[in-house]
Amino acid sequence: MINSRSLDDLHPFVKKLALRLQSDCAAAGIPIIFTSTLRDQEYQTMLYSQGRTAPGNVVTNAKIVQWHGVGCAFDVCQNIKGREYESAVFPVIGRLGKALGLEWGGDWKSFVDMPHFQWTSHGLTLQQVKAGMIPAAPAEAPAPPAPAEKPLDNTPGDYAKSAVEKAIARGIIRGDERGDLMLRSPATRQDILVMLDRCGLL
Protein backbone atom coordinates (compact mmCIF):
# COMPACT_ATOMS: atom_id res chain seq x y z
CA MET A 1 0.00 0.00 0.00
CA ILE A 2 1.48 3.32 -1.06
CA ASN A 3 0.56 6.75 0.23
CA SER A 4 3.68 8.86 -0.21
CA ARG A 5 4.24 12.33 1.16
CA SER A 6 7.46 12.82 -0.78
CA LEU A 7 7.52 15.51 -3.45
CA ASP A 8 10.14 13.43 -5.26
CA ASP A 9 7.33 11.01 -6.21
CA LEU A 10 5.54 13.74 -8.19
CA HIS A 11 6.00 14.65 -11.84
CA PRO A 12 8.98 17.08 -11.85
CA PHE A 13 6.81 20.00 -12.95
CA VAL A 14 4.19 19.24 -10.28
CA LYS A 15 6.96 19.11 -7.68
CA LYS A 16 8.05 22.54 -8.84
CA LEU A 17 4.50 23.86 -8.50
CA ALA A 18 4.14 22.29 -5.05
CA LEU A 19 7.30 23.95 -3.80
CA ARG A 20 6.19 27.26 -5.27
CA LEU A 21 2.81 26.90 -3.54
CA GLN A 22 4.54 26.19 -0.25
CA SER A 23 6.70 29.30 -0.68
CA ASP A 24 3.74 31.50 -1.67
CA CYS A 25 1.70 30.24 1.29
CA ALA A 26 4.59 30.95 3.67
CA ALA A 27 4.77 34.49 2.31
CA ALA A 28 1.05 34.81 3.08
CA GLY A 29 1.63 33.64 6.65
CA ILE A 30 0.26 30.12 6.12
CA PRO A 31 2.83 27.33 6.62
CA ILE A 32 1.77 24.16 4.79
CA ILE A 33 2.97 20.58 4.60
CA PHE A 34 2.16 17.82 2.11
CA THR A 35 0.02 14.98 3.40
CA SER A 36 -0.26 12.91 0.22
CA THR A 37 1.48 12.82 -3.16
CA LEU A 38 1.70 9.48 -4.96
CA ARG A 39 -0.75 6.76 -3.93
CA ASP A 40 -1.68 3.36 -5.31
CA GLN A 41 -5.03 1.67 -5.90
CA GLU A 42 -4.81 -0.35 -2.68
CA TYR A 43 -4.59 2.84 -0.64
CA GLN A 44 -7.36 4.50 -2.67
CA THR A 45 -9.63 1.52 -2.00
CA MET A 46 -8.93 1.78 1.71
CA LEU A 47 -9.59 5.53 1.59
CA TYR A 48 -12.88 5.02 -0.27
CA SER A 49 -14.06 2.51 2.31
CA GLN A 50 -13.68 5.07 5.10
CA GLY A 51 -17.11 6.25 6.20
CA ARG A 52 -18.74 3.49 4.16
CA THR A 53 -17.59 0.02 5.17
CA ALA A 54 -14.90 1.22 7.58
CA PRO A 55 -15.00 3.64 10.52
CA GLY A 56 -14.43 7.36 9.96
CA ASN A 57 -15.77 10.15 7.82
CA VAL A 58 -16.16 9.97 4.05
CA VAL A 59 -13.10 11.66 2.54
CA THR A 60 -13.39 10.77 -1.16
CA ASN A 61 -15.89 9.77 -3.81
CA ALA A 62 -13.20 8.27 -6.05
CA LYS A 63 -13.13 4.47 -6.11
CA ILE A 64 -10.28 4.40 -8.62
CA VAL A 65 -7.01 6.21 -7.94
CA GLN A 66 -6.82 9.16 -10.30
CA TRP A 67 -4.21 11.92 -10.62
CA HIS A 68 -2.57 10.89 -7.35
CA GLY A 69 -1.75 7.60 -9.05
CA VAL A 70 0.36 9.25 -11.76
CA GLY A 71 2.21 11.84 -9.66
CA CYS A 72 0.12 14.79 -10.79
CA ALA A 73 -1.74 15.57 -7.55
CA PHE A 74 -1.00 16.35 -3.94
CA ASP A 75 -2.84 17.20 -0.73
CA VAL A 76 -1.82 19.81 1.83
CA CYS A 77 -2.72 20.99 5.30
CA GLN A 78 -1.67 23.85 7.53
CA ASN A 79 1.49 23.03 9.47
CA ILE A 80 0.13 24.20 12.83
CA LYS A 81 -0.69 21.55 15.42
CA GLY A 82 -4.40 21.47 16.16
CA ARG A 83 -5.22 23.80 13.26
CA GLU A 84 -4.20 21.59 10.33
CA TYR A 85 -7.57 21.77 8.58
CA GLU A 86 -8.75 25.19 9.69
CA SER A 87 -11.32 26.06 7.03
CA ALA A 88 -10.53 29.78 6.90
CA VAL A 89 -7.05 29.26 5.40
CA PHE A 90 -7.99 26.97 2.52
CA PRO A 91 -9.57 29.64 0.28
CA VAL A 92 -6.25 31.51 0.46
CA ILE A 93 -4.26 28.34 -0.30
CA GLY A 94 -6.68 27.53 -3.11
CA ARG A 95 -6.33 30.98 -4.67
CA LEU A 96 -2.54 30.73 -4.59
CA GLY A 97 -2.61 27.24 -6.09
CA LYS A 98 -4.93 28.28 -8.92
CA ALA A 99 -2.65 31.22 -9.68
CA LEU A 100 0.05 28.63 -10.42
CA GLY A 101 -2.22 26.79 -12.88
CA LEU A 102 -3.33 24.02 -10.52
CA GLU A 103 -6.87 22.70 -10.29
CA TRP A 104 -8.19 23.05 -6.75
CA GLY A 105 -10.54 20.54 -5.18
CA GLY A 106 -12.21 23.35 -3.27
CA ASP A 107 -13.93 24.40 -6.50
CA TRP A 108 -15.54 21.00 -7.08
CA LYS A 109 -19.32 20.81 -6.86
CA SER A 110 -20.02 17.13 -6.27
CA PHE A 111 -17.39 16.62 -3.57
CA VAL A 112 -15.49 19.62 -2.19
CA ASP A 113 -11.90 18.61 -1.38
CA MET A 114 -10.13 21.74 -0.15
CA PRO A 115 -6.74 20.15 0.68
CA HIS A 116 -6.43 18.73 -2.87
CA PHE A 117 -4.55 20.14 -5.89
CA GLN A 118 -3.89 18.52 -9.25
CA TRP A 119 -2.21 19.43 -12.53
CA THR A 120 -4.52 18.65 -15.44
CA SER A 121 -3.79 21.48 -17.88
CA HIS A 122 -1.21 19.45 -19.84
CA GLY A 123 -3.75 18.31 -22.47
CA LEU A 124 -3.70 14.58 -21.71
CA THR A 125 -6.49 12.51 -20.24
CA LEU A 126 -5.98 10.43 -17.13
CA GLN A 127 -6.32 7.30 -19.26
CA GLN A 128 -3.54 8.47 -21.59
CA VAL A 129 -1.21 9.17 -18.67
CA LYS A 130 -2.00 5.81 -17.08
CA ALA A 131 -1.21 4.20 -20.44
CA GLY A 132 2.29 5.65 -20.27
CA MET A 133 2.09 9.04 -21.93
CA ILE A 134 4.12 11.60 -19.97
CA PRO A 135 2.66 15.09 -19.54
CA ALA A 136 4.97 17.74 -20.91
CA ALA A 137 5.68 20.74 -18.73
CA PRO A 138 4.94 24.08 -20.38
CA ALA A 139 7.91 25.86 -21.83
CA GLU A 140 9.24 28.56 -19.55
CA ALA A 141 9.22 32.09 -20.87
CA PRO A 142 12.68 33.14 -22.02
CA ALA A 143 14.56 35.43 -19.70
CA PRO A 144 14.30 39.09 -20.67
CA PRO A 145 17.38 40.39 -22.45
CA ALA A 146 19.92 42.08 -20.25
CA PRO A 147 19.75 45.86 -20.47
CA ALA A 148 22.35 47.39 -22.71
CA GLU A 149 25.28 48.73 -20.77
CA LYS A 150 25.23 52.49 -20.48
CA PRO A 151 28.06 54.08 -22.47
CA LEU A 152 30.77 55.88 -20.51
CA ASP A 153 30.13 59.57 -19.93
CA ASN A 154 33.71 60.82 -20.08
CA THR A 155 33.73 63.45 -22.81
CA PRO A 156 33.45 67.03 -21.48
CA GLY A 157 32.04 69.91 -23.46
CA ASP A 158 34.61 72.29 -24.97
CA TYR A 159 33.86 74.94 -22.35
CA ALA A 160 34.59 72.54 -19.48
CA LYS A 161 37.47 70.56 -20.91
CA SER A 162 40.25 72.42 -19.09
CA ALA A 163 38.43 72.36 -15.73
CA VAL A 164 37.66 68.67 -16.06
CA GLU A 165 41.28 67.84 -16.85
CA LYS A 166 42.44 69.76 -13.75
CA ALA A 167 39.82 68.11 -11.55
CA ILE A 168 40.85 64.67 -12.76
CA ALA A 169 44.54 65.43 -12.23
CA ARG A 170 43.86 66.60 -8.66
CA GLY A 171 41.58 63.68 -7.85
CA ILE A 172 38.54 65.88 -7.32
CA ILE A 173 36.41 63.78 -9.64
CA ARG A 174 37.00 60.08 -10.06
CA GLY A 175 35.40 57.36 -12.15
CA ASP A 176 33.40 54.42 -10.88
CA GLU A 177 34.45 50.78 -11.24
CA ARG A 178 34.01 51.07 -15.02
CA GLY A 179 35.95 54.34 -15.20
CA ASP A 180 32.76 56.31 -15.87
CA LEU A 181 33.19 59.94 -14.76
CA MET A 182 29.46 60.65 -15.26
CA LEU A 183 30.25 64.19 -16.39
CA ARG A 184 26.70 64.96 -17.51
CA SER A 185 24.92 63.26 -14.59
CA PRO A 186 23.37 65.49 -11.91
CA ALA A 187 25.37 65.69 -8.68
CA THR A 188 23.67 65.11 -5.33
CA ARG A 189 24.52 67.22 -2.31
CA GLN A 190 26.69 64.44 -0.96
CA ASP A 191 28.56 64.29 -4.28
CA ILE A 192 29.23 68.02 -4.01
CA LEU A 193 30.42 67.67 -0.41
CA VAL A 194 32.81 64.88 -1.40
CA MET A 195 34.30 67.03 -4.17
CA LEU A 196 34.65 70.01 -1.80
CA ASP A 197 36.37 67.76 0.70
CA ARG A 198 38.80 66.63 -1.99
CA CYS A 199 39.52 70.30 -2.68
CA GLY A 200 40.37 70.82 0.99
CA LEU A 201 37.45 73.21 1.48
CA LEU A 202 35.79 71.31 4.34
Side-chain angles (χ1 to χ4, degrees), residues 80-200:
I80 300 177
K81 187 173 180 60
R83 297 171 54 191
E84 289 86 350
Y85 293 95
E86 191 173 48
S87 60
V89 302
F90 279 101
V92 180
I93 301 172
R95 174 176 55 80
L96 294 172
K98 291 193 293 183
L100 297 173
L102 290 164
E103 181 181 343
W104 178 43
D107 286 334
W108 295 346
K109 305 301 181 184
S110 60
F111 187 88
V112 177
D113 190 359
M114 291 195 292
H116 180 85
F117 293 89
Q118 58 190 33
W119 177 50
T120 58
S121 58
H122 40 69
L124 298 178
T125 66
L126 179 60
Q127 289 70 27
Q128 287 174 320
V129 178
K130 285 185 173 181
M133 296 181 70
I134 300 175
E140 294 189 12
E149 193 170 83
K150 182 182 176 182
L152 299 181
D153 180 15
N154 289 343
T155 305
D158 291 340
Y159 73 96
K161 187 174 182 179
S162 176
V164 169
E165 290 175 350
K166 291 177 183 178
I168 293 172
R170 296 174 185 174
I172 298 171
I173 59 173
R174 302 168 187 170
D176 61 11
E177 66 276 359
R178 293 196 303 144
D180 189 353
L181 298 174
M182 297 173 283
L183 294 179
R184 291 174 173 76
S185 299
T188 65
R189 292 180 181 180
Q190 63 182 4
D191 294 332
I192 295 170
L193 290 172
V194 168
M195 288 187 283
L196 290 174
D197 187 48
R198 291 171 183 169
C199 293

Side-chain angles (χ1 to χ4, degrees), residues 42-60 63:
E42 184 181 3
Y43 183 83
Q44 187 67 33
T45 299
M46 183 275 295
L47 205 60
Y48 182 79
S49 70
Q50 186 174 315
R52 294 181 173 89
T53 58
N57 298 321
V58 172
V59 293
T60 183
K63 291 184 178 181

